[in-house]
Amino acid sequence: MTSSTLRSHTCGELNKKDTKKEIKLCGWVNSRRDHGGIIFIDLRDRYGFTQIVLDPKKLAEADKLRREWCIQITGLVRERPKGMENKNIITGEIEVEVKKLNILNESEVPPFEIDDRMEASEELRLKYRYLDLRRPVMQERLLVRHKAAQVVRQYLSSQSFMEIETPMFVKTTPGGARVFKVPSRTHTGKFYSLPESPQMYKQILMVAGCDRYFQLARCLRDEDLRVDRQPEFTQIDIEMSFIDREDIYNIIEGLLKDIFKKVLNVEIKIPFLRLSYQDTMSRYGSDKPDLRFELELKDVSSIMKNSEFGIFKNILEKKGVIYCLNAKGCGKFSRTEIEELIELGKTHHLPGLAWIKVEDKKLESSIVKYLPEKVQKELIKAVNAKENDLLLFAADEFEKAVNALGQVRLHIGKKLNLMNQKEYKFCWVTDFPLFEWNEEVNNWQAKHHIFTMPLEEDMKYLETDPSEVKGKLYDIVLNGVEIGGGSIRIHKKEIQARTLQVTGLNYEEAEKKFDFLLNAFKFSAPPHGGIAIGFDRLCALLCGINDIREVIAFPKNKAAENPMDGSPQDWTPEFLKELNLKLDVVKKN
Amino acid sequence: MTSSTLRSHTCGELNKKDTKKEIKLCGWVNSRRDHGGIIFIDLRDRYGFTQIVLDPKKLAEADKLRREWCIQITGLVRERPKGMENKNIITGEIEVEVKKLNILNESEVPPFEIDDRMEASEELRLKYRYLDLRRPVMQERLLVRHKAAQVVRQYLSSQSFMEIETPMFVKTTPGGARVFKVPSRTHTGKFYSLPESPQMYKQILMVAGCDRYFQLARCLRDEDLRVDRQPEFTQIDIEMSFIDREDIYNIIEGLLKDIFKKVLNVEIKIPFLRLSYQDTMSRYGSDKPDLRFELELKDVSSIMKNSEFGIFKNILEKKGVIYCLNAKGCGKFSRTEIEELIELGKTHHLPGLAWIKVEDKKLESSIVKYLPEKVQKELIKAVNAKENDLLLFAADEFEKAVNALGQVRLHIGKKLNLMNQKEYKFCWVTDFPLFEWNEEVNNWQAKHHIFTMPLEEDMKYLETDPSEVKGKLYDIVLNGVEIGGGSIRIHKKEIQARTLQVTGLNYEEAEKKFDFLLNAFKFSAPPHGGIAIGFDRLCALLCGINDIREVIAFPKNKAAENPMDGSPQDWTPEFLKELNLKLDVVKKN
């Protein structure tokens, strides 16, 4: 139902069946062509385009019409003359002979053309966002986002989830991202925090027995400026009780399947592949592997321990590893192309990248002379080396070696165009280490958050070797992009006390830091866990683009400003006084 | 689908058909009764209660169980013994014989009973909100809110609306409610505002061609503390293009019908009654009339001009009015009861309330002697006075007189229990005056907002008599509560300039104040209008309650604090420094 007082139809629906109907349309003049004294206009609204035909001899005001003027017309639908049809649009078979023209509003000349071939600068697009959004491609993106949001809600509601709004004004707790702060006017000397995520509140909802919670949650983070960051973003926020990891996997797989089916009409296969952190790092050199192409890394340490290459031997002696990536068919890479790969390794902290080409059924490279024949044979077999392959070697500590080689893998994937843009390859990455050693404070700290449940089988290492403890953590990855992540939380005090102890906190100190959450937990928190999926990111991927600003109606620019409304704006003395605040700045000249 | 790794069923679904099944349940110990060495427990989760039976001789830990402990059990479903069924709950025919008991978590003793007969103070309830929310009635309220939100989204989506998220960080413009401000860390000396509503942004979305927008919008207002106010609230925010008022009425009537049907299974009648502001004030003495009972006011000025009662004559000479409310059947009110009404009038600025009782077919009162017989007869006829009625008179300026009498009407309605709590009486109140005279600034000002379209037929008064200009404004009222309101907006510069001029602003000055909205309008804004419905208020009414805090998961208390998390919290020197701010307070001792 889109008819209204001012229109009988939209610009996106009339077709042959409507011939001879008298109809009313409203919209904007998208283009105007004058032909033999007759004016042809493509009238545009959110729903599409309709060609309307005006005779300026009968409609005095027709001649005044310019691009982007907003008009209402009454007219008769007729078939277009043979050969003049436009098969690309729904309304392409008809046109409307205008009987009455009503100019609803005139327009200044727009600063750029309302056209999907957008050439304006980003700053100009954001300043005139209302014109930028008139473009069909932008309307389509808003619609994809709208549809995705509705599918999320319908799917989760059908699974007994309740959508619950958590507060925008919260208390900040130590750790986590930096939050924005809102001075309280009525409570002088105090402030509210804006939520960086509803983490604590959704866990408290589990203590409250809400069992299955979700929210398309607005989150705000006061992070340092970066090109692809927005101070505000939206996440599909989920928490469930009486579950373990498999329950989260099932729900999210069902959810994503439903979204891709209903928004894109794409069938994705579930269940998704599940890779442990260790596994994905070893095979793809990344904790967000792009599985649209193969090219796996291979641990060749045990083979290379028999090489005579000094660097390799050195690394192995220091408990390092040697990994090989067989870049299939890249044997013809030029010296410059190989140099590029080496440089890429360097930017990812790998001092050198050794390589071997397979030419004329032989290994060719400056290091081959250090590899005894047996080593060569084993190597060829291990990485399935064939004529014209390029073998690349990273030798270093495990994480450094595979990470750099993972970047090289991605680079080659792009260079050889191995990623099918129409393919959607999901996977779960699981079993992340729970702790990492922090050099600065000379102590272990939680890699994600301190409320994450350790794997049952690793609990025994909590006191002896925290590096061995993996958590019930999971990330969901699509085509090499992490779109979300979560964990099963600790719900029992005994376990919480033990994990806190690893980071040097006793439970009583932690209670002061995380007071209201740990207080709530005293009243029998149920086993629970959850996940958050970046909704902006997901929508961008659904639209086949990378920049999340394209799927946000009014995004901020790279400096966290909105060029359209001019926010942030200057403090006035009145506003500051009202809040009992003073600016504490030394003016710079 | 609510089964999971830890449970096969919820506590709200097992019945006779499940007899002999082995099942797993999780939940909290709601109550425990020991009978002949056997323990009966009502196990509770969000979905209901199930009676479980434990034999402590077989289950060693059963004896330890206390209220609110969280447990998992495996057991056999069996029919309850004859006569022991509970017809009030779904699971009332069965019980579960526990074979295995797993204590998931212990609980401290709760500070109040988890029971719908809640007797704890509000402060305690809010501090332990996670326990308060465990009560079935609170879960039910969250569920009503969840369902209502989903119906809103489904209904509006089916009507081609797009849900679009507007920014949380905006620029504040003059007028409107006081906004909360967020200091920018990266832009020293600047701040973002939090939206008091998405008003400007939704209008800009219309300029952007979005045509039909909605959002369940989080709004934040820094108003002075008041018992029934929350600094954050949610509204169903709607804007449409190419429409007039009827289109808004249709959409909202369809929406509310759908909500009441799907959430409460109540059929409400549409279309709703439409009352002009003038009309509702004259008949009900309120712009949010409670139509569940009649008792209409009556203008008796023309009758009373022939009375000899000095006060009445005086008022009429000063262009005041005399209104009468016939309080049917209240002729037996005591002196004290009548005094109560007079006092109520006084608190609503009416100096006196005259009254006449109908007794023994005669009018009885100290003022009757001033009413000639003809006046008495006319009066009796005009207000349909019958034996035992009580006629109440307000004489003053129109607004004062009817407003006070409207309050008396409500008071009597409540006293006589005339409001059926199960009835839902909606109406539209329309045609509000566009301007009001502001004594302080000695000028006209917009009564709602300056972008409201005047009625076509009143445009002619814009320059001559602004008091005569009514706007395309509408409120939606349910059972005497305003649940929303909106307007058709001005989309043309000529009209905007004229309405601005009434308030003494020229268009160029206004452009500085409302820069980005009026800038956007230069590019052919379409005719558009919208509405916002208070979602918290609507949910409260759906739950049959008044206090919106009961339908908000984590509300603030009367002082805008959250006793659970302790927000707002104290500034620390570090936080202030980071934002380049200083507290500007003289410490009080």
Side-chain angles (χ1 to χ4, degrees):
Chain A
M1 275 302 300
T2 39
S3 66
S4 70
T5 307
L6 275 70
R7 70 183 172 202
S8 62
H9 294 78
T10 70
C11 295
E13 58 179 319
L14 294 170
N15 60 47
K16 255 189 196 164
K17 281 183 231 138
D18 300 300
T19 306
K20 293 194 179 143
K21 276 189 197 157
E22 186 178 277
I23 54 91
K24 265 189 200 176
L25 297 179
C26 292
W28 286 267
V29 174
N30 192 67
S31 64
R32 168 188 166 146
R33 302 176 302 284
D34 292 36
H35 263 302
I38 299 293
I39 300 168
F40 291 83
I41 280 174
D42 282 340
L43 193 64
R44 187 195 66 237
D45 68 12
R46 188 188 112 193
Y47 309 92
F49 296 91
T50 299
Q51 177 165 297
I52 62 172
V53 187
L54 303 96
D55 182 348
K57 289 187 290 294
K58 296 180 193 160
L59 299 161
E61 289 193 296
D63 256 338
K64 293 163 64 181
L65 296 179
R66 293 291 175 272
R67 274 181 174 237
E68 296 309 316
W69 284 30
C70 187
I71 62 174
Q72 178 196 41
I73 58 112
T74 309
L76 277 179
V77 182
R78 66 187 188 200
E79 284 187 44
R80 291 198 196 178
K82 271 259 170 300
M84 304 298 277
E85 301 93 344
N86 178 349
K87 297 261 156 77
N88 297 324
I89 59 172
I90 290 170
T91 64
E93 296 177 320
I94 59 93
E95 59 190 14
V96 176
E97 186 192 346
V98 178
K99 300 290 182 191
K100 251 168 72 186
L101 167 65
N102 178 14
I103 296 177
L104 297 170
N105 224 341
E106 304 181 2
S107 174
E108 290 192 4
V109 177
F112 50 74
E113 305 239 326
I114 312 301
D115 188 320
D116 284 344
R117 291 159 300 183
M118 169 54 66
E119 282 169 357
S121 71
E122 178 170 62
E123 203 67 8
L124 204 62
R125 285 180 60 200
L126 291 181
K127 184 167 169 60
Y128 297 94
R129 189 63 165 180
Y130 36 86
L131 298 179
D132 191 33
L133 288 177
R134 282 187 190 169
R135 298 190 295 131
V137 68
M138 295 305 282
Q139 288 293 323
E140 179 59 29
R141 286 169 188 165
L142 291 180
L143 195 59
V144 162
R145 187 179 178 116
H146 164 71
K147 282 186 190 164
Q150 304 318 312
V151 177
V152 169
R153 292 188 163 105
Q154 281 160 26
Y155 180 82
L156 292 174
S157 298
S158 77
Q159 302 291 317
S160 299
F161 284 79
M162 280 198 285
E163 187 169 21
I164 300 174
E165 293 169 71
T166 50
M168 294 305 297
F169 285 160
V170 300
K171 186 187 171 190
T172 186
T173 44
R178 190 190 286 115
V179 299
F180 285 103
K181 296 165 187 87
V182 183
S184 167
R185 181 178 55 86
T186 46
H187 297 275
T188 302
K190 299 194 172 198
F191 70 95
Y192 300 98
S193 296
L194 296 173
E196 50 146 332
S197 98
Q199 184 65 37
M200 304 241 177
Y201 296 86
K202 69 176 175 174
Q203 291 194 242
I204 283 179
L205 284 173
M206 296 304 105
V207 181
C210 292
D211 203 276
R212 294 182 164 212
Y213 144 93
F214 83 99
Q215 187 180 196
L216 264 78
R218 305 294 293 265
C219 305
L220 302 117
R221 286 189 195 168
D222 187 11
E223 294 176 306
D224 290 323
L225 302 176
R226 223 168 63 184
V227 173
D228 59 344
R229 255 186 202 153
Q230 287 286 308
E232 40 180 310
F233 59 95
T234 302
Q235 66 190 29
I236 306 173
D237 198 44
I238 287 177
E239 196 80 10
M240 302 170 75
S241 290
F242 305 121
I243 55 134
D244 211 328
R245 287 187 288 179
E246 288 298 323
D247 300 291
I248 299 277
Y249 299 162
N250 287 338
I251 285 288
I252 298 302
E253 287 167 358
L255 172 64
L256 288 166
K257 187 176 173 65
D258 211 34
I259 294 174
F260 275 75
K261 179 67 191 167
K262 290 185 176 150
V263 177
L264 296 186
N265 199 24
V266 164
E267 292 285 354
I268 59 174
K269 259 184 269 174
I270 59 172
F272 302 152
L273 185 64
R274 287 159 205 188
L275 290 164
S276 71
Y277 175 77
Q278 181 63 32
D279 216 22
T280 184
M281 290 307 286
S282 298
R283 289 167 61 186
Y284 306 100
S286 169
D287 57 2
K288 32 184 192 285
D290 191 330
L291 300 179
R292 286 174 298 176
F293 64 104
E294 303 205 339
L295 287 192
E296 290 191 19
L297 320 189
K298 193 90 199 172
D299 182 356
V300 294
S301 309
S302 63
I303 298 171
M304 287 305 179
K305 71 170 190 285
N306 298 317
S307 88
E308 284 139 27
F309 188 41
I311 295 175
F312 284 5
K313 288 178 74 160
N314 237 325
I315 295 281
L316 289 172
E317 271 161 28
K318 285 192 281 179
K319 307 244 175 200
V321 296
I322 298 162
Y323 268 72
C324 175
L325 172 68
N326 179 354
K328 303 295 292 179
C330 298
K332 289 274 187 291
F333 268 18
S334 67
R335 167 67 61 179
T336 321
E337 286 173 306
I338 292 180
E339 279 301 329
E340 243 177 63
L341 301 179
I342 295 172
E343 276 311 306
L344 182 66
K346 280 188 184 148
T347 60
H348 291 93
H349 316 293
L350 187 74
L353 191 69
W355 56 268
I356 299 177
K357 286 181 175 179
V358 189
E359 264 175 32
D360 302 330
K361 301 183 182 164
K362 286 203 325 247
L363 299 186
E364 291 287 342
S365 147
S366 58
I367 65 164
V368 172
K369 57 178 176 268
Y370 303 113
L371 308 183
E373 198 158 332
K374 184 164 172 285
V375 170
Q376 291 193 30
K377 275 200 183 140
E378 282 176 12
L379 178 64
I380 287 170
K381 196 174 161 209
V383 304
N384 190 24
K386 297 264 147 86
E387 187 66 15
N388 232 346
D389 284 355
L390 174 66
L391 313 185
L392 298 157
F393 298 87
D396 211 317
E397 291 166 20
F398 173 74
E399 297 233 348
K400 264 196 202 165
V402 296
N403 178 50
L405 214 49
Q407 294 295 331
V408 170
R409 172 183 178 270
L410 277 183
H411 178 86
I412 290 172
K414 276 179 206 142
K415 194 174 165 86
L416 302 187
N417 220 353
L418 300 178
M419 292 103 150
N420 178 350
Q421 297 303 321
K422 299 265 168 215
E423 207 175 0
Y424 299 95
K425 287 280 199 177
F426 289 89
C427 69
W428 290 102
V429 176
T430 68
D431 297 356
F432 289 84
L434 199 51
F435 302 101
E436 61 187 354
W437 183 256
N438 184 328
E439 296 280 347
E440 274 175 53
V441 297
N442 206 29
N443 206 348
W444 293 101
Q445 66 180 32
K447 212 168 170 177
H448 298 264
H449 74 52
I450 193 65
F451 307 114
T452 301
M453 184 71 96
L455 295 188
E456 277 88 357
E457 60 266 37
D458 291 347
M459 296 247 196
K460 55 179 180 278
Y461 302 120
L462 274 172
E463 288 78 17
T464 54
D465 185 0
S467 73
E468 279 297 310
V469 181
K470 291 173 290 296
K472 289 193 173 181
L473 286 152
Y474 33 81
D475 278 356
I476 173 87
V477 174
L478 166 57
N479 292 353
V481 179
E482 181 208 318
I483 59 171
S487 65
I488 300 297
R489 331 294 183 185
I490 298 173
H491 64 284
K492 297 194 85 158
K493 186 173 171 178
E494 308 85 82
I495 303 172
Q496 188 69 71
R498 287 175 66 194
T499 60
L500 284 164
Q501 200 64 58
V502 175
T503 68
L505 263 184
N506 68 36
Y507 193 85
E508 287 64 35
E509 288 163 341
E511 267 188 308
K512 279 179 206 147
K513 286 176 90 168
F514 308 104
D515 51 358
F516 64 100
L517 184 65
L518 293 182
N519 273 339
F521 276 20
K522 289 177 187 163
F523 298 94
S524 58
H528 65 286
I531 191 168
I533 292 179
F535 187 59
D536 309 283
R537 178 66 55 205
L538 178 63
C539 290
L541 290 168
L542 285 167
C543 293
I545 51 181
N546 288 318
D547 190 343
I548 61 170
R549 280 172 297 198
E550 297 292 322
V551 293
I552 298 175
F554 301 106
K556 302 287 188 282
N557 67 12
K558 293 161 193 171
E561 301 156 333
N562 183 342
M564 184 183 80
D565 68 12
S567 63
Q569 67 196 109
D570 288 331
W571 282 108
T572 64
E574 294 73 30
F575 287 158
L576 284 167
K577 190 166 175 220
E578 206 169 52
L579 296 172
N580 294 305
L581 290 173
K582 267 200 281 200
L583 279 180
D584 182 23
V585 200
V586 183
K587 289 248 179 193
K588 288 169 198 152
N589 286 312
Chain B
M1 277 300 303
T2 39
S3 67
S4 69
T5 306
L6 274 70
R7 70 183 172 202
S8 63
H9 294 78
T10 71
C11 295
E13 58 180 318
L14 294 170
N15 59 48
K16 254 187 197 168
K17 282 184 232 138
D18 300 300
T19 306
K20 296 195 177 142
K21 276 189 197 157
E22 188 179 275
I23 54 92
K24 265 190 200 175
L25 297 179
C26 292
W28 287 268
V29 173
N30 192 68
S31 63
R32 169 189 166 144
R33 301 177 302 284
D34 291 36
H35 262 301
I38 300 293
I39 299 169
F40 292 84
I41 279 174
D42 283 339
L43 193 64
R44 186 194 67 236
D45 67 12
R46 187 189 115 194
Y47 309 93
F49 296 91
T50 298
Q51 177 166 298
I52 62 172
V53 187
L54 302 96
D55 182 348
K57 289 186 288 296
K58 296 179 192 160
L59 298 160
E61 289 194 295
D63 256 336
K64 293 163 62 182
L65 297 179
R66 293 291 174 270
R67 275 183 174 237
E68 296 309 317
W69 284 30
C70 186
I71 62 175
Q72 178 196 41
I73 59 111
T74 309
L76 277 179
V77 182
R78 66 185 188 203
E79 284 187 46
R80 291 198 197 179
K82 272 261 173 295
M84 304 298 277
E85 299 93 344
N86 179 349
K87 295 261 156 76
N88 298 322
I89 59 172
I90 291 171
T91 63
E93 295 177 321
I94 59 94
E95 59 190 15
V96 176
E97 185 191 348
V98 177
K99 300 289 181 192
K100 249 168 72 183
L101 167 65
N102 178 14
I103 295 176
L104 297 170
N105 223 340
E106 304 183 2
S107 174
E108 290 193 2
V109 177
F112 49 75
E113 305 241 324
I114 312 301
D115 188 320
D116 285 344
R117 292 159 301 184
M118 169 53 67
E119 282 170 358
S121 71
E122 178 169 62
E123 204 66 8
L124 203 62
R125 285 179 59 200
L126 291 181
K127 183 167 169 60
Y128 296 95
R129 190 63 164 179
Y130 35 87
L131 298 178
D132 191 33
L133 288 177
R134 281 187 190 170
R135 297 190 295 131
V137 67
M138 295 305 282
Q139 289 292 324
E140 179 60 28
R141 286 171 188 164
L142 291 180
L143 196 59
V144 162
R145 186 178 179 117
H146 163 72
K147 282 186 189 163
Q150 304 317 313
V151 176
V152 168
R153 293 189 163 106
Q154 281 160 27
Y155 180 81
L156 292 174
S157 299
S158 77
Q159 301 291 316
S160 298
F161 284 79
M162 280 198 285
E163 187 168 23
I164 300 174
E165 292 170 71
T166 51
M168 294 306 296
F169 285 161
V170 299
K171 186 187 171 190
T172 185
T173 46
R178 190 190 285 116
V179 299
F180 284 104
K181 296 166 187 86
V182 183
S184 167
R185 180 179 56 87
T186 46
H187 297 276
T188 302
K190 299 195 172 197
F191 69 95
Y192 301 98
S193 296
L194 296 173
E196 50 146 332
S197 98
Q199 185 65 35
M200 305 242 176
Y201 297 85
K202 70 176 175 172
Q203 293 194 241
I204 283 179
L205 284 173
M206 296 304 106
V207 181
C210 292
D211 204 276
R212 294 181 164 213
Y213 144 93
F214 83 98
Q215 185 180 197
L216 264 78
R218 306 293 292 265
C219 304
L220 302 117
R221 286 189 195 166
D222 187 12
E223 294 176 307
D224 290 324
L225 302 175
R226 222 167 64 184
V227 173
D228 59 344
R229 256 187 203 151
Q230 287 287 308
E232 41 179 310
F233 59 94
T234 302
Q235 66 190 28
I236 307 173
D237 199 44
I238 287 177
E239 196 80 6
M240 302 170 75
S241 291
F242 305 122
I243 55 133
D244 210 330
R245 287 188 287 179
E246 288 298 324
D247 300 292
I248 299 279
Y249 299 163
N250 287 338
I251 286 289
I252 298 302
E253 286 167 359
L255 172 63
L256 287 168
K257 189 177 172 62
D258 212 33
I259 293 173
F260 276 76
K261 178 67 193 168
K262 290 185 177 151
V263 177
L264 294 187
N265 199 24
V266 164
E267 293 285 354
I268 58 174
K269 259 184 270 174
I270 59 170
F272 301 152
L273 185 65
R274 287 158 206 189
L275 291 164
S276 72
Y277 174 76
Q278 181 63 34
D279 217 22
T280 185
M281 291 306 287
S282 297
R283 290 167 62 185
Y284 305 102
S286 168
D287 58 2
K288 31 182 193 284
D290 192 329
L291 301 179
R292 286 175 297 177
F293 65 105
E294 303 206 339
L295 288 193
E296 291 192 19
L297 321 188
K298 194 88 196 172
D299 183 357
V300 294
S301 308
S302 63
I303 298 171
M304 288 304 178
K305 74 173 188 284
N306 296 317
S307 89
E308 283 139 29
F309 188 40
I311 295 174
F312 284 5
K313 288 178 77 163
N314 237 325
I315 295 280
L316 290 172
E317 271 162 30
K318 286 193 281 179
K319 308 246 174 197
V321 295
I322 297 162
Y323 268 72
C324 175
L325 172 67
N326 179 354
K328 304 295 292 178
C330 298
K332 292 271 189 291
F333 269 19
S334 66
R335 168 66 61 174
T336 321
E337 285 173 305
I338 292 179
E339 279 301 330
E340 242 177 61
L341 301 179
I342 295 171
E343 277 309 308
L344 182 66
K346 280 189 184 147
T347 60
H348 291 91
H349 314 296
L350 187 74
L353 191 70
W355 56 269
I356 298 178
K357 286 181 174 178
V358 188
E359 265 178 32
D360 301 333
K361 298 182 185 164
K362 284 200 327 238
L363 300 185
E364 293 286 343
S365 147
S366 57
I367 66 165
V368 171
K369 57 178 177 265
Y370 302 113
L371 307 183
E373 198 159 329
K374 185 164 172 284
V375 170
Q376 292 195 28
K377 275 198 180 142
E378 283 177 12
L379 178 67
I380 287 169
K381 198 175 160 206
V383 303
N384 190 24
K386 297 263 149 87
E387 187 66 17
N388 232 345
D389 285 355
L390 174 68
L391 313 185
L392 297 156
F393 297 87
D396 211 316
E397 291 167 20
F398 172 74
E399 298 233 347
K400 263 197 202 164
V402 295
N403 178 48
L405 214 49
Q407 294 294 333
V408 171
R409 173 182 178 270
L410 277 182
H411 178 86
I412 291 172
K414 274 178 208 146
K415 195 175 164 83
L416 302 187
N417 219 353
L418 301 177
M419 292 105 149
N420 177 350
Q421 298 301 325
K422 298 266 169 215
E423 207 176 0
Y424 299 95
K425 287 279 199 176
F426 289 89
C427 68
W428 290 102
V429 176
T430 68
D431 297 356
F432 288 85
L434 199 52
F435 302 100
E436 62 187 354
W437 183 256
N438 184 328
E439 298 279 348
E440 274 176 53
V441 297
N442 205 30
N443 205 348
W444 292 102
Q445 66 179 32
K447 212 169 167 175
H448 299 264
H449 73 54
I450 192 65
F451 307 113
T452 302
M453 183 72 95
L455 295 189
E456 277 88 357
E457 61 265 37
D458 291 347
M459 296 249 195
K460 56 179 181 278
Y461 303 119
L462 274 173
E463 288 78 16
T464 54
D465 185 0
S467 74
E468 279 297 311
V469 181
K470 291 174 289 296
K472 289 193 172 179
L473 288 153
Y474 32 80
D475 278 356
I476 173 87
V477 174
L478 167 57
N479 291 355
V481 179
E482 182 207 317
I483 59 171
S487 65
I488 301 297
R489 330 296 183 185
I490 298 173
H491 65 284
K492 297 194 84 160
K493 186 173 172 180
E494 310 86 80
I495 304 173
Q496 188 70 72
R498 288 175 66 193
T499 60
L500 284 164
Q501 199 64 58
V502 175
T503 67
L505 264 184
N506 68 37
Y507 192 84
E508 288 64 37
E509 288 163 342
E511 268 188 308
K512 279 177 207 149
K513 285 175 90 168
F514 307 105
D515 51 358
F516 65 99
L517 184 63
L518 293 182
N519 274 339
F521 276 21
K522 290 176 187 163
F523 297 93
S524 57
H528 65 287
I531 191 167
I533 293 179
F535 187 59
D536 309 284
R537 177 67 56 203
L538 178 64
C539 290
L541 289 167
L542 285 167
C543 292
I545 50 180
N546 289 317
D547 190 343
I548 62 170
R549 279 173 297 199
E550 298 291 324
V551 292
I552 297 175
F554 301 106
K556 303 287 187 283
N557 67 11
K558 292 162 194 172
E561 300 156 332
N562 182 342
M564 182 183 81
D565 68 13
S567 63
Q569 68 196 111
D570 288 330
W571 281 109
T572 64
E574 295 73 28
F575 286 158
L576 284 166
K577 188 163 177 227
E578 205 169 52
L579 297 172
N580 293 305
L581 289 172
K582 268 201 284 204
L583 280 181
D584 182 22
V585 201
V586 183
K587 290 248 178 188
K588 288 168 199 151
N589 284 314

